[in-house]
Amino acid sequence: PALASPDRKSGRMLATRVNSALALAVRKASLAPPIASRVASRFPRNARFLSGEAKAGGIPSKLTLNLMAPHEAVFVAKEVDQVIVPGADGIFGVLPGHVPTISELKPGLVEVTVAPGEIVKFFVSSGFVFAHADSTCDVCALECVKLDDLDASAVASGKSQAEGELNSAQDEVEKAKAQIAVEVYTAMTEALNTK
């Protein structure tokens, strides 16, 4: 009980200071610079969006896409209409003005709508996708292959081999590796079936 008293007192003092600071901030709000300029000065990435350079209504007409893999940059600052990605919680699309989002990628198909009727498809094994407030989307994949470059017979062979390894795995590490391989090959097979 003796130790609890100073904590409660300091907690009340802190709450009083916070309430006083908030009241002062509310009174002086009209003197403060607009929030958009403060955010733009601290986060230049958002400056284009917040400054109104976007079309009327505040949302750009195009999405800026960066599609990266460790061995190559597939797209760098490519203006596109939409990107559909296989997120860990499900497939979702990113359009200009998308709410900022971070998602893990699961093995699957990334569909890039460059222009109406022009869709480019890629298979990704895993990675992350970042949708930013300035209508920029970064897709960072561990492996990224154009769907047309996948060989259906090699995928079927790899899937059979991975399933065999899963059935003959002796320890948990081998089972986990084989299970991941089966999941990736299954996703490749499903992606090839969408052609």
Side-chain angles (χ1 to χ4, degrees), residues 11-25:
R12 280 194 304 263
M13 289 175 28
L14 178 61
T16 303
R17 286 187 198 144
V18 168
N19 288 336
S20 298
L22 286 173
L24 182 62

Coordinates of all heavy atoms in Angstrom, one line a residue, residues 11-25:
G11 N 0.5 9.2 -11.5 CA -0.5 8.9 -12.5 C -1.5 10.0 -12.7 O -1.8 10.5 -13.8
R12 N -2.0 10.5 -11.5 CA -2.9 11.7 -11.6 C -2.2 12.9 -12.1 O -2.8 13.7 -12.9 CB -3.5 11.9 -10.2 CG -4.6 11.0 -9.8 CD -5.4 11.5 -8.6 NE -4.5 11.7 -7.5 CZ -4.3 10.8 -6.5 NH1 -4.9 9.7 -6.5 NH2 -3.5 11.1 -5.5
M13 N -1.0 13.1 -11.7 CA -0.2 14.3 -12.1 C 0.0 14.2 -13.6 O -0.2 15.2 -14.4 CB 1.1 14.4 -11.4 CG 0.9 14.8 -9.9 SD 2.4 14.9 -8.9 CE 3.7 15.2 -10.0
L14 N 0.3 13.0 -14.1 CA 0.6 12.9 -15.6 C -0.7 13.1 -16.3 O -0.8 13.8 -17.4 CB 1.1 11.5 -15.9 CG 1.3 11.1 -17.3 CD1 2.3 12.1 -17.9 CD2 1.8 9.7 -17.5
A15 N -1.9 12.6 -15.8 CA -3.1 12.8 -16.5 C -3.5 14.2 -16.5 O -4.0 14.8 -17.5 CB -4.2 12.0 -15.8
T16 N -3.2 15.0 -15.5 CA -3.5 16.4 -15.4 C -2.7 17.2 -16.4 O -3.2 18.0 -17.2 CB -3.3 17.0 -14.0 OG1 -4.0 16.2 -13.1 CG2 -3.6 18.4 -13.9
R17 N -1.4 16.8 -16.5 CA -0.5 17.4 -17.5 C -1.0 17.1 -19.0 O -1.0 18.0 -19.8 CB 0.9 17.0 -17.4 CG 1.6 17.5 -16.2 CD 3.1 17.1 -16.2 NE 3.6 17.3 -14.8 CZ 4.5 16.5 -14.3 NH1 5.0 15.5 -14.9 NH2 4.9 16.8 -13.1
V18 N -1.4 15.9 -19.2 CA -1.8 15.5 -20.6 C -3.1 16.3 -20.9 O -3.2 16.9 -22.0 CB -2.0 14.0 -20.7 CG1 -2.8 13.7 -21.9 CG2 -0.7 13.3 -20.6
N19 N -4.1 16.4 -19.9 CA -5.3 17.1 -20.2 C -5.0 18.6 -20.4 O -5.6 19.2 -21.3 CB -6.3 16.9 -19.0 CG -6.9 15.5 -19.0 OD1 -6.9 14.8 -20.0 ND2 -7.3 15.1 -17.8
S20 N -4.1 19.2 -19.7 CA -3.8 20.6 -19.9 C -3.1 20.8 -21.2 O -3.4 21.8 -21.9 CB -2.8 21.0 -18.8 OG -3.4 20.9 -17.5
A21 N -2.3 19.9 -21.6 CA -1.6 20.0 -22.9 C -2.6 19.9 -24.0 O -2.5 20.6 -25.0 CB -0.5 19.0 -23.0
L22 N -3.5 19.0 -23.9 CA -4.6 18.8 -24.9 C -5.4 20.1 -25.0 O -5.8 20.5 -26.1 CB -5.4 17.6 -24.7 CG -4.8 16.2 -24.9 CD1 -5.7 15.1 -24.5 CD2 -4.5 16.1 -26.4
A23 N -5.8 20.6 -23.9 CA -6.6 21.8 -23.9 C -5.9 23.0 -24.6 O -6.5 23.7 -25.3 CB -7.0 22.2 -22.5
L24 N -4.6 23.1 -24.3 CA -3.8 24.2 -24.9 C -3.7 23.9 -26.4 O -3.8 24.9 -27.2 CB -2.4 24.2 -24.2 CG -1.5 25.3 -24.7 CD1 -2.0 26.7 -24.4 CD2 -0.1 25.1 -24.1
A25 N -3.5 22.7 -26.8 CA -3.4 22.4 -28.2 C -4.7 22.7 -28.9 O -4.7 23.2 -30.1 CB -3.0 20.9 -28.4

